[in-house]
Amino acid sequence: MSQSIAANPDRLLPADPGTRSIARELLQRVQDLPIISPHGHVDAAVIEHNTPFPDPAALLVSPDHYVTRLIHASGVPLERLRGPAAGAADSRAVWHEFCKAWPLFEGTASGYWLRTQFESVFGLRQEISAASADASFDAISARLLEPGFRPRQLFKDFNIEVLATTDDPLDSLASHKAIAEDPTFHGRVLPTFRPDAYLNIAHPTWSANVDRLIAAAGDGATGYAGYITALENRRRYFVDHGAVSADHGVRTPATLKLDAGDAARLFDRARSGQATAQDRDDFEAHMMYQMGRMSVEDGLVMTIHPGSYRNHHEPTFNAHGADTGHDIPFAVNYTEAIRPLLQDFGTAKDFHLVLFTLDETVFSRELAPLAGFYPSVYLGAPWWFLDAPDAMLRFRSAVTETAGFSRSSGFIDDTRAFCSIPARHDASRRIEASFLARLVAEHRVSEDRAHELIVDIVDGSPRRVFKL
């Protein structure tokens, strides 16, 4: 049997033999460094309870909108991909649909990650295909039943040092506390404050969320004052439980500074159900300014993930809910949108602001120049649709000549799929080695300096930017 392409040591490295040789040495320098994952969506309870992973389809297909969206685009209804609860006959039937569709993933980032997982995590030697569907389902199922194939052992096997989760502001963080106090667990699992559903007045449960928030943490205050107090208190609770960042999945990166009276009136209109679309945008923008202010005060790193039109296809949302593959990027403006926040906090001591985008056009036009001036601003790694080999290379080419290497966040895997974490970080390290190897080959960076740079990119940057 020929070697799997997922086992080829030169995967993702440059095709030119000379440049590839340089890249190999750079990759070797960082290949065994621990994984620092400062932003992701793995459930801390899975780590706390060491919960066994479900069957192959429930683990790798049904919950992964990267996977289901492309199969859906080929004409397969989501009902046949979402598991028994959504109408599929069983998980094996879902796996058969995936295996039939496997050729669709050639050239995609999802295909690369999955193939790497099949090879290095599950030890699967046979290529995925419709003909091998039952055999691969059974082989992965057997692996999932092994005593050593549990989250805690894999956390160690994957060489993860830090894993950040994404958490509701009113979460008790009981799992994080239990993990931190467990002397048998040697990694760090950190909570992340994610207040979107409490800031966006268009969210269907916004008003109810605000009621719960003020009741739980408003210190007896009501209205806008109680709302702000409650957010500040919950942020401090997160800090006390190990959080290092607050993440914001907003529609746009707009920020707006309002005086307390105007903000309170806007808040009251929203609470009474009389807010307009402009009120929605203004309030979210103002609250992003307030989140920046709070980050200056409590030290949480502020990360912004804008530019996704959520739930683009309403019938799919009505049938299957959010995060089912039909969030679509749109163009964003950072230079004007973020200016109110940066006017007051852009040079504030120890304020860290990490800016992400789904719109590649802003990499060189806006983000690199912002990060190349403001001490607070760092470049978020290519995210979501841009978390792919060629897009990562385009990112490095677009931002480095203006902002250098020191102003980037380090790699962010942003994943819910625990078993994909090593594949994603390995891909990033290979891309960084490839980019630096080209600079060395073109005599733009010395080889010794490239070896220092790749260690800083992989290990130093995430520790520095996320205050680890």
Side-chain angles (χ1 to χ4, degrees):
M1 182 183 293
S2 62
Q3 183 188 50
S4 163
I5 58 174
N8 191 305
D10 290 333
R11 60 192 183 278
L12 299 185
L13 299 187
D16 171 71
T19 312
R20 187 192 312 140
S21 177
I22 299 169
R24 283 173 181 158
E25 294 188 8
L26 290 168
L27 178 61
Q28 187 176 21
R29 185 76 175 81
V30 296
Q31 205 158 23
D32 295 327
L33 289 178
I35 287 175
I36 309 293
S37 178
H39 175 71
H41 299 276
V42 173
D43 184 357
V46 171
I47 308 295
E48 179 198 2
H49 300 300
N50 207 24
T51 308
F53 293 107
D55 63 78
L59 175 64
L60 299 168
V61 180
S62 297
D64 192 339
H65 57 75
Y66 286 88
V67 174
T68 58
R69 70 189 312 272
L70 190 58
I71 304 176
H72 176 266
S74 73
V76 178
L78 282 180
E79 288 80 2
R80 286 167 35 196
L81 303 170
R82 300 279 293 160
D90 55 32
S91 290
R92 191 178 289 270
V94 173
W95 187 255
H96 273 262
E97 293 287 357
F98 166 71
C99 290
K100 284 191 293 183
W102 178 243
L104 304 176
F105 290 92
E106 296 293 0
T108 68
S110 297
Y112 178 83
W113 298 328
L114 285 165
R115 184 174 269 121
T116 303
Q117 288 177 73
F118 294 147
E119 171 70 29
S120 62
V121 177
F122 297 104
L124 199 66
R125 298 293 177 256
Q126 189 174 14
E127 179 73 5
I128 295 293
S129 69
S132 68
D134 284 320
S136 58
F137 186 91
D138 292 338
I140 296 174
S141 295
R143 189 85 168 96
L144 294 177
L145 292 174
E146 293 177 10
F149 205 87
R150 294 286 186 91
R152 289 187 172 220
Q153 184 60 45
L154 290 179
F155 197 103
K156 180 179 179 180
D157 293 345
F158 292 166
N159 197 20
I160 300 173
E161 179 180 324
V162 177
L163 179 71
T165 61
T166 300
D167 307 280
D168 185 278
L170 289 179
D171 194 299
S172 71
L173 305 183
S175 290
H176 296 84
K177 185 174 186 293
I179 293 168
E181 294 175 350
D182 185 347
T184 68
F185 187 80
H186 301 293
R188 297 173 67 190
V189 179
L190 308 179
T192 299
F193 188 80
R194 178 73 174 249
D196 301 352
Y198 298 77
L199 307 186
N200 178 6
I201 64 178
H203 191 281
T205 62
W206 177 78
S207 192
N209 292 340
V210 169
D211 285 338
R212 293 188 302 112
L213 178 70
I214 294 175
D219 289 347
T222 59
Y224 178 72
Y227 172 69
I228 293 295
T229 297
L231 286 167
E232 291 172 338
N233 285 339
R234 291 306 298 175
R235 289 172 63 103
R236 282 192 288 271
Y237 182 86
F238 270 65
V239 171
D240 291 343
H241 285 74
V244 297
S245 67
D247 181 55
H248 307 279
V250 288
R251 184 173 176 274
T252 76
T255 60
L256 177 65
K257 181 180 182 180
L258 298 174
D259 66 41
D262 287 340
R265 284 185 285 275
L266 190 53
F267 176 83
D268 290 341
R269 280 203 302 278
R271 292 283 275 165
S272 67
Q274 298 175 0
T276 65
Q278 186 61 54
D279 288 338
R280 176 204 67 191
D281 293 343
D282 288 348
F283 187 76
E284 186 173 63
H286 171 67
M287 290 310 300
M288 290 303 291
Y289 176 91
Q290 288 295 320
M291 291 295 103
R293 173 188 65 79
M294 293 180 197
S295 278
V296 171
E297 294 172 0
D298 61 30
L300 287 178
V301 177
M302 183 177 185
T303 64
I304 301 179
H305 287 86
S308 179
Y309 191 116
R310 305 281 180 171
N311 307 314
H312 194 267
H313 188 240
E314 190 170 338
T316 295
F317 174 72
N318 292 337
H320 301 290
D323 300 319
T324 48
H326 50 109
D327 296 340
I328 308 296
F330 60 85
V332 298
N333 171 307
Y334 256 113
T335 300
E336 295 178 7
I338 205 72
R339 188 167 183 260
L341 186 148
L342 292 178
Q343 288 296 289
D344 288 351
F345 311 124
T347 58
K349 182 174 170 34
D350 294 330
F351 177 44
H352 290 191
L353 175 64
V354 187
L355 304 180
F356 293 82
T357 185
L358 295 172
D359 177 5
E360 288 189 73
T361 67
V362 303
F363 279 153
S364 58
R365 187 183 68 237
E366 300 178 39
L367 292 184
L370 285 168
F373 173 78
Y374 286 99
S376 64
V377 175
Y378 293 90
L379 298 161
W383 161 56
W384 202 340
F385 295 102
L386 304 182
D387 180 12
D390 287 339
M392 288 191 279
L393 280 172
R394 291 195 299 270
F395 165 79
R396 274 288 168 221
S397 296
V399 303
T400 303
E401 290 180 329
T402 298
F405 292 99
S406 69
R407 306 305 302 166
S408 57
S409 67
F411 182 62
I412 305 292
D413 57 67
D414 189 41
T415 188
R416 292 172 173 81
F418 185 73
C419 291
S420 77
I421 290 174
R424 295 183 188 217
H425 284 263
D426 178 72
S428 173
R429 294 175 188 194
R430 290 173 180 276
I431 293 301
E432 300 293 5
S434 297
F435 182 77
L436 282 166
R438 180 170 67 83
L439 297 191
V440 171
E442 294 173 358
H443 306 291
R444 298 166 63 185
V445 172
S446 72
E447 193 159 0
D448 287 345
R449 183 66 182 124
H451 278 261
E452 295 171 352
L453 284 168
I454 197 167
V455 172
D456 191 63
I457 290 167
V458 169
D459 193 76
S461 286
R463 294 182 192 276
R464 181 169 60 249
V465 174
F466 285 90
K467 305 180 182 181
L468 296 168

